[in-house]
Amino acid sequence: MADLRFKGKWNELKGRAKQEWADLTDDDLLYEEGQEDEMFGRIQKKTGKTIEDIKNWFDKQLDKI
């Protein structure tokens, strides 16, 4: 997940995440290298999804971009 493809597409991914989960804020989606799990935890708290589901969603979105 934390590869160059992810980093290079972050702004688009962030926009898609906000569309998917309207409750998310920019602070929830604050991406810092090496602290992805904290971000996934914030998303999990807001959405009720499992971290695995969230990671899979991001991976699927990367494939679409």
Side-chain angles (χ1 to χ4, degrees):
M1 180 82 159
D3 58 11
L4 288 177
R5 191 171 70 133
F6 180 78
K7 293 175 196 172
K9 303 291 184 175
W10 179 240
N11 285 333
E12 190 168 347
L13 285 170
K14 186 166 68 168
R16 288 178 181 225
K18 283 182 175 182
Q19 289 175 355
E20 180 74 15
W21 301 298
D23 298 11
L24 296 179
T25 66
D26 284 334
D27 288 339
D28 296 327
L29 294 167
L30 182 62
Y31 174 78
E32 294 182 37
E33 190 170 346
Q35 298 189 359
E36 294 88 359
D37 287 339
E38 289 182 21
M39 179 190 67
F40 292 133
R42 290 190 300 268
I43 296 170
Q44 179 186 32
K45 188 175 180 180
K46 284 270 183 110
T47 65
K49 303 280 184 189
T50 67
I51 288 180
E52 190 64 31
D53 287 342
I54 295 165
K55 287 180 179 182
N56 288 335
W57 183 88
F58 275 100
D59 286 337
K60 287 178 186 174
Q61 297 308 308
L62 277 172
D63 291 341
K64 293 178 182 179
I65 298 175

